[in-house]
């Protein structure tokens, strides 16, 4: 029995571009909007994505895989910025994946959709199945702590650390090294480019370039929170425990 139904919902805006790099990443989001509003924004607005997945398991296809969607924004994974350029994005309809569980039919369809995408793009290894919060820590918190990462990993989509042994809690620098080995970005700052629109990296948070406002620093604690949102959703976020260290070591291993 298949849970997935794919419907054509071709984008109506010019908010996308042709792809020039190979696809090697799959980015999962929650929409924070209902289905109708999500489709409107993503088909007609300044952002876009490949698929919108409704709660009943219907997948709306907006972009071809060979087109770059504008879903990740300012982002970095495994040391490389601009995740949009080499990713497929799925926006999963949920008003807040930190509060609301993902319905069974939607998860079943998501597993089918991800499986299809992974089959089409063998370059997307398990490490490169990520949440928006993983690639844009502090700035984004989707798809949220209720997202069934373990269930997906059991279906061959992404990773889940099984049997991680507790480890001594390391220094902040040690935690950061492990986070980066998992793929997370280094501490950084970003701000809003008022002239061109959108967020940009700010190399020196104390002296942002002219026209850049709302500068935010992203610290190791913020990046650790993103890690815990994904792998330790019941933890007190931003603080490493012996269990966190075990998970970090497990996932940082090549
Ligand atoms: Zn998102």
């Amino acid at each position: 029995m298949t849970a997935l139904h794919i419907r054509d919902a071709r984008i109506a805006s010019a908010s996308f571009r042709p792809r020039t790099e190979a696809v090697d990443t799959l980015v999962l989001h929650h929409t924070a909007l209902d289905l109708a509003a999500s489709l409107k924004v993503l088909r007609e607005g300044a952002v876009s994505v490949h698929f919108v997945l409704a709660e009943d398991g219907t997948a709306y296809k907006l972009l071809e895989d060979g087109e770059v969607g504008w879903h990740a924004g300012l982002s970095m994974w495994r040391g490389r910025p601009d995740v949009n350029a080499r990713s497929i994005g799925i926006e999963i309809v949920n008003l807040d994946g930190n509060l609301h569980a993902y319905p069974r039919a939607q998860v079943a369809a998501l597993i089918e959709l991800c499986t299809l995408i992974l089959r089409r793009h063998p370059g997307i290894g398990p490490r490169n199945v990520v949440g928006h919060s993983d690639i844009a820590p502090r700035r984004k918190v989707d798809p949220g702590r209720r997202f069934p990462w373990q269930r997906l990993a059991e279906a061959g989509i992404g990773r889940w650390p099984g049997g991680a042994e507790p480890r001594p809690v390391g220094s902040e620098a040690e935690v950061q090294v492990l986070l980066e080995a998992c793929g997370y970005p280094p501490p950084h700052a970003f701000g809003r480019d008022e002239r061109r629109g959108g967020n940009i990296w700010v190399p020196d948070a104390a002296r942002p370039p002219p026209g850049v406002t709302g500068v935010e620093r992203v610290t190791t604690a913020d990046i650790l929170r993103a890690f815990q949102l994904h792998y330790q959703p019941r933890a007190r976020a931003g603080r490493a425990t012996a269990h966190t260290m075990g998970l970090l070591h497990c996932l940082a291993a090549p």
Side-chain angles (χ1 to χ4, degrees), residues 6-103:
I6 299 181
R7 279 207 209 166
D8 181 64
R10 178 67 192 168
I11 192 164
S13 78
S15 301
F16 66 97
R17 60 181 164 86
R19 197 185 288 287
T20 55
E21 291 179 47
V23 170
D24 70 1
T25 309
L26 176 59
V27 183
L28 304 176
H29 306 258
H30 70 225
T31 54
L33 297 168
D34 67 18
L35 175 63
S38 301
L39 284 173
K40 185 164 174 61
V41 167
L42 291 158
R43 290 186 66 243
E44 301 171 23
V47 286
S48 62
V49 76
H50 297 86
F51 295 96
V52 173
L53 184 64
E55 286 168 305
D56 69 359
T58 306
Y60 294 83
K61 182 183 171 189
L62 282 65
L63 288 174
E64 299 296 331
D65 289 9
E67 292 165 335
V68 170
W70 299 350
H71 53 94
L74 194 74
S75 53
M76 184 183 286
W77 189 243
R78 297 175 78 181
R80 294 162 70 202
D82 191 12
V83 176
N84 279 337
R86 49 184 196 282
S87 67
I88 300 288
I90 305 176
E91 286 277 1
I92 306 157
V93 176
N94 186 317
L95 293 183
D96 185 346
N98 288 293
L99 297 177
H100 309 299
Y102 287 82

Side-chain angles (χ1 to χ4, degrees), residues 212-252:
V212 173
T213 62
V215 173
E216 288 190 51
R217 291 170 207 261
V218 180
T219 64
T220 295
D222 294 317
I223 300 160
L224 182 61
R225 260 182 222 113
F227 175 87
Q228 290 172 315
L229 206 56
H230 189 140
Y231 294 108
Q232 202 186 8
R234 282 185 287 271
R236 184 169 153 200
R239 261 191 58 201
T241 63
H243 182 48
T244 318
M245 295 306 289
L247 297 173
L248 277 166
H249 279 280
C250 178
L251 290 158

Side-chain angles (χ1 to χ4, degrees), residues 145-223:
R145 68 181 73 253
R146 305 292 299 267
F147 187 79
W149 288 110
Q150 184 175 1
R151 177 85 201 286
L152 263 68
E154 285 161 4
I157 303 153
R159 303 202 296 165
W160 190 257
E165 296 289 329
R167 302 281 284 257
V169 176
S171 68
E172 187 179 300
E174 284 166 313
V175 168
Q176 184 61 47
V177 166
L178 289 166
L179 285 166
E180 287 178 46
C182 294
Y184 289 85
H188 58 275
F190 66 90
R192 183 164 177 80
D193 183 347
E194 294 296 345
R195 284 184 288 198
R196 297 180 56 198
N199 293 306
I200 59 168
W201 307 106
V202 176
D204 181 356
R207 276 179 301 171
V212 173
T213 62
V215 173
E216 288 190 51
R217 291 170 207 261
V218 180
T219 64
T220 295
D222 294 317
I223 300 160

